[in-house]
C-alpha cells in the first residue's frame, strides 16, 4: 500500500506541474477573447493543483525508494497519465469530440510525434493550438526530468527515472547531482526556445504563432497553427530559422553544456555529432541536386531540401512541400532518414545516430576479425574504447525496435492500410517522426484510421518516446515474478 501511495503521490505531482503550464493557454485565451474555452483549461488546472497539493503534503515524510521494477512502472504510468491529462482540454473545449481522437492527439503531442487527426487546425481556438504545441515542448526534454529539476524529491530513484525517460544507449550525468543535470538541460532548452521565439518574431510572426512554433520546433514535434504547416507562410526567413533550430534541437544537449563550460574537446571528438552533421549535409546536397529539375534552380532546390531533411531527420515533421511528390531518388533519401533520427540526448526521436555509429564500427571489427582471426578489436566512441555491453545494448535495441516497427506494420495492414503506408507508418510512429508515405503523407492526417489502430499507434508512440523497454518490459513473465 505504501508503494501504491508513493506512485499516486508522484504521478499527481507530475500532473500538477503539467497543470501549472495551462496558465499559458489560459492567458492566450484571455488575450484572444476566447472566453468559451477558458474553463477547458481552468478546470484541469484547478483539479491537478488541489489533488497534487494534497498528495504532496500528505506524503512529505514518506521515503521515496524505487526498485528496478518500480522505475519502469512509474515512468510508464506517468506518461500514460500525462497523455490522458493532455487530452482533457481538447475534449472539454469541443475541439475534438471523442476520447480516442483526443488521446491520439495528446500522445502524439507529448511524444513529439506530430501526427494529427485534425484536418483543419486553423478552425481551432488559438489557445488550443498553442496547447497542442506546448505539449510538444513539455514532452521534448522529458516531464520526469522537469519534475526532478523543479522538485528534487525523488531521492535515490531520480537518476534511474531520468535514465528510463531519456534517449540514447549511454546515459550519464553532466553535473555531479542528477537534479542539477536536469536543471541545466532544461535551462539550455528554455534558452533555445526563447532565442527561437525572438527569431520568429523578427521574421514577422505574431506572438502566439512565434511561441507555438518555438514550442513545436525545440520539442521536435511538428504541430502547426496553419493547415499548410510552415509552408503556409511562404517565407524564406522563417524556413531558415526553423531549419537551424530543428538542426540544433537534434543535437545532444549535453554538448551545449560542454561548449558553455569551455570543454570544446568533448565536442570535437564526439563521434555521433560528426556522423549527424555528415549525414545531414550529404542528404541535403544530394536531394537538392535531384530536385534542381523539379524546382528550376539549385538555390530553390536547396531551400526545400535543407528544410525537409532537417524536419524528417530530427523527427519534427514540419512541411513546406509534400516530399511524396518529389522525384523517386529524392524520396529514397527522405525514406532513409526515417531509419536514423537525431542524436541521443536530444529532443528528437528515431533510432538515433549513435546506434548506427556503434553498429557500423562493430561491423568493421567483425570483418577485420575475419582477416585477422587472432586479433583483438574494440570499437572507439568519442576516441575512447567502447564497452562490449554498449554493443550488446545496441544490438538488442535494434531487434526490439524493428520488431515493434514490423508488428505495427502488421497491425496497420489488418486495419486496411497498404503495405508501404503501413511500413512507413510503423517507422513514423515508433520513431516519433509524424508524417509517412502513402495514405499518411504530409498532406494527409490520421483522422480516418479506425479506433483500434489509433490506440495501437498511441502505444507505439509512447514506446518509441521511452525507448521501447519501459512499456514492452511488462510483457515479460519475469517482470511479474517476485
Amino acid at each position: 500500500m505504501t508503494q501504491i501511495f508513493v506512485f499516486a503521490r508522484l504521478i499527481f505531482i507530475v500532473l500538477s506541474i503539467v497543470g501549472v503550464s495551462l496558465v499559458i493557454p489560459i492567458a492566450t485565451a484571455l488575450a484572444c477573447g476566447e472566453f468559451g474555452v477558458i474553463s477547458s483549461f481552468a478546470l484541469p488546472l484547478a483539479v491537478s493543483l488541489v489533488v497534487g497539493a494534497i498528495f504532496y503534503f500528505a506524503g512529505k515524510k514518506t521515503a521515496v525508494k524505487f526498485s528496478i521494477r518500480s522505475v519502469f512502472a512509474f515512468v510508464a504510468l506517468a506518461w500514460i497519465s500525462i497523455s490522458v491529462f493532455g487530452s482533457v482540454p481538447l475534449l472539454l473545449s469541443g475541439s475534438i469530440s471523442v476520447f480516442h481522437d483526443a488521446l491520439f492527439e495528446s500522445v502524439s503531442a507529448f511524444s513529439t510525434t506530430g501526427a494529427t487527426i485534425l484536418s483543419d487546425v486553423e478552425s481551432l481556438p488559438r489557445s488550443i493550438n498553442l496547447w497542442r504545441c506546448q505539449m510538444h515542448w513539455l514532452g521534448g526534454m522529458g516531464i520526469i526530468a522537469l519534475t526532478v529539476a523543479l522538485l528534487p524529491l525523488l531521492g535515490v530513484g531520480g537518476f534511474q527515472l531520468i535514465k528510463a525517460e531519456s534517449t540514447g544507449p549511454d546515459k550519464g550525468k553532466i553535473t555531479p547531482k542528477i537534479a542539477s543535470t536536469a536543471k541545466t538541460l532544461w535551462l539550455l532548452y528554455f534558452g533555445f526556445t526563447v532565442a527561437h521565439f525572438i527569431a520568429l518574431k523578427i521574421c514577422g510572426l505574431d506572438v502566439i504563432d512565434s511561441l507555438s512554433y518555438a514550442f513545436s520546433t525545440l520539442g521536435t514535434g511538428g504541430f502547426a497553427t496553419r493547415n499548410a504547416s510552415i509552408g503556409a507562410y511562404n517565407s524564406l526567413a522563417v524556413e531558415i530559422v526553423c531549419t537551424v533550430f530543428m538542426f540544433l534541437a537534434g543535437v545532444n544537449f549535453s554538448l551545449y553544456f560542454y561548449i558553455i563550460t569551455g570543454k570544446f574537446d568533448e565536442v570535437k571528438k564526439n563521434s555521433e555529432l560528426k556522423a549527424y552533421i555528415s549525414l545531414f549535409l550529404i542528404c541535403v546536397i544530394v536531394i537538392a541536386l535531384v530536385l534542381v529539375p523539379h524546382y528550376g534552380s539549385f538555390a530553390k532546390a536547396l531551400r526545400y531540401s535543407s528544410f525537409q531533411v532537417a524536419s524528417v531527420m530530427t523527427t519534427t515533421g514540419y512541411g513546406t512541400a509534400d516530399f511524396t511528390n518529389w522525384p523517386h531518388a529524392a524520396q529514397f533519401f527522405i525514406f532513409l532518414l526515417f531509419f536514423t533520427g537525431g542524436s541521443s540526448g536530444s529532443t528528437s526521436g528515431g533510432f538515433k545516430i549513435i546506434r548506427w555509429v556503434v553498429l557500423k564500427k562493430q561491423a568493421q571489427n567483425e570483418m577485420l576479425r575475419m582477416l585477422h582471426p587472432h586479433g583483438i578489436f574494440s570499437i572507439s566512441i568519442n576516441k575512447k574504447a567502447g564497452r562490449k555491453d554498449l554493443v550488446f545494448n545496441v544490438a538488442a535495441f535494434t531487434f526490439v525496435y524493428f520488431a515493434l516497427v514490423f508488428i505495427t506494420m502488421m497491425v496497420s495492414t489488418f486495419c486496411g492500410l497498404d503495405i508501404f503506408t503501413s511500413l512507413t507508418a510503423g517507422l513514423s510512429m515508433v520513431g516519433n517522426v509524424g508524417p509517412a508515405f502513402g495514405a499518411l503523407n504530409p498532406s494527409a492526417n490520421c483522422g480516418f484510421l479506425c479506433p483500434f489502430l489509433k490506440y495501437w499507434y498511441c502505444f507505439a508512440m509512447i514506446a518509441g518516446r521511452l525507448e521501447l523497454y519501459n512499456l514492452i518490459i511488462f510483457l515479460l513473465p519475469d517482470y511479474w515474478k517476485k
Side-chain angles (χ1 to χ4, degrees), residues 122-162:
E122 292 179 28
S123 65
L124 297 176
R126 300 195 75 185
S127 54
I128 290 292
N129 267 328
L130 179 63
W131 172 237
R132 292 169 65 242
C133 297
Q134 188 178 323
M135 286 189 280
H136 277 328
W137 191 75
L138 291 168
M141 189 57 69
I143 303 293
I144 307 300
L146 177 60
T147 304
V148 173
L150 296 177
L151 298 169
L153 50 83
L154 301 179
V156 295
F159 182 51
Q160 293 299 323
L161 290 171
I162 288 183

Side-chain angles (χ1 to χ4, degrees), residues 365-449:
N365 282 348
E366 293 304 319
M367 287 185 278
L368 288 172
R369 193 171 283 110
M370 293 173 69
L371 293 172
H372 309 284
H374 302 294
I376 298 174
F377 306 97
S378 64
I379 65 170
S380 174
I381 301 294
N382 303 338
K383 295 188 177 179
K384 295 178 183 177
R387 308 185 314 270
K388 281 188 177 181
D389 65 317
L390 181 61
V391 177
F392 298 151
N393 177 299
V394 170
F397 183 89
T398 301
F399 172 80
V400 176
Y401 185 90
F402 287 105
L404 183 57
V405 167
F406 285 116
I407 291 171
T408 301
M409 176 185 176
M410 179 187 70
V411 174
S412 301
T413 58
F414 275 113
C415 291
L417 297 182
D418 64 86
I419 290 178
F420 191 52
T421 298
S422 298
L423 171 60
T424 55
L427 290 166
S428 181
M429 297 302 158
V430 177
N432 305 130
V433 179
F437 284 76
L440 295 176
N441 66 73
S443 301
N445 64 76
C446 299
F448 69 93
L449 301 176

Side-chain angles (χ1 to χ4, degrees), residues 2-18 48 51-57 59-60 62-66 70-71 73-75 77-79 81-82 143-144 147-148 151-158 161:
T2 302
Q3 188 72 24
I4 294 173
F5 174 78
V6 169
F7 265 47
R9 177 174 179 261
L10 293 181
I11 285 174
F12 279 113
I13 289 173
V14 171
L15 290 177
S16 65
I17 289 173
V18 177
S48 64
V51 178
I54 291 171
F55 272 91
Y56 176 75
F57 289 107
K60 203 168 184 181
T62 305
V64 180
K65 293 183 180 179
F66 281 111
S70 299
V71 166
F74 172 75
V75 173
L77 285 172
W79 270 80
S81 302
I82 291 162
I143 303 293
I144 307 300
T147 304
V148 173
L151 298 169
L153 50 83
L154 301 179
V156 295
L161 290 171

Side-chain angles (χ1 to χ4, degrees), residues 236-254:
L236 177 60
V238 171
E239 291 170 28
I240 290 173
V241 166
C242 287
T243 300
V244 169
F245 279 94
M246 282 190 288
F247 179 85
L248 293 174
V251 174
N252 190 328
F253 272 70
S254 298

Side-chain angles (χ1 to χ4, degrees), residues 237-479:
V238 171
E239 291 170 28
I240 290 173
V241 166
C242 287
T243 300
V244 169
F245 279 94
M246 282 190 288
F247 179 85
L248 293 174
V251 174
N252 190 328
F253 272 70
S254 298
L255 297 182
Y256 298 128
F257 174 78
Y258 293 137
I259 291 172
I260 291 171
T261 55
K263 298 178 181 178
F264 299 108
D265 287 341
E266 294 290 335
V267 179
K268 289 178 184 176
K269 67 184 182 183
N270 189 270
S271 304
E272 184 178 36
L273 180 63
K274 293 174 185 175
Y276 176 73
I277 294 173
S278 300
L279 180 63
F280 176 80
L281 292 176
I282 290 170
C283 288
V284 166
I285 293 169
V286 171
I287 292 175
L289 291 172
V290 172
L291 290 178
V292 169
H294 188 77
Y295 286 111
S297 70
F298 181 75
K300 194 171 182 181
L302 186 64
R303 170 183 176 178
Y304 287 100
S305 171
S306 58
F307 184 92
Q308 215 57 60
V309 168
S311 178
V312 175
M313 186 175 179
T314 63
T315 71
T316 304
Y318 283 148
T320 53
D322 186 344
F323 53 73
T324 60
N325 294 324
W326 285 354
H328 291 154
Q331 289 187 47
F332 168 78
F333 281 91
I334 292 294
F335 176 65
L336 182 70
L337 294 174
F338 275 67
F339 291 85
T340 61
S343 305
S344 60
S346 70
T347 61
S348 62
F351 187 75
K352 300 294 183 299
I353 300 293
I354 186 60
R355 293 192 174 95
W356 289 119
V357 172
V358 170
L359 290 173
K360 177 241 182 190
K361 288 178 178 287
Q362 185 61 23
Q364 287 177 327
N365 282 348
E366 293 304 319
M367 287 185 278
L368 288 172
R369 193 171 283 110
M370 293 173 69
L371 293 172
H372 309 284
H374 302 294
I376 298 174
F377 306 97
S378 64
I379 65 170
S380 174
I381 301 294
N382 303 338
K383 295 188 177 179
K384 295 178 183 177
R387 308 185 314 270
K388 281 188 177 181
D389 65 317
L390 181 61
V391 177
F392 298 151
N393 177 299
V394 170
F397 183 89
T398 301
F399 172 80
V400 176
Y401 185 90
F402 287 105
L404 183 57
V405 167
F406 285 116
I407 291 171
T408 301
M409 176 185 176
M410 179 187 70
V411 174
S412 301
T413 58
F414 275 113
C415 291
L417 297 182
D418 64 86
I419 290 178
F420 191 52
T421 298
S422 298
L423 171 60
T424 55
L427 290 166
S428 181
M429 297 302 158
V430 177
N432 305 130
V433 179
F437 284 76
L440 295 176
N441 66 73
S443 301
N445 64 76
C446 299
F448 69 93
L449 301 176
C450 68
F452 175 78
L453 188 54
K454 288 174 183 174
Y455 281 123
W456 180 266
Y457 281 173
C458 285
F459 167 78
M461 287 187 283
I462 295 178
R465 173 58 184 83
L466 298 181
E467 302 263 275
L468 307 183
Y469 296 127
N470 273 17
L471 288 188
I472 296 175
I473 200 169
F474 298 113
L475 304 177
L476 295 178
D478 283 352
Y479 179 86

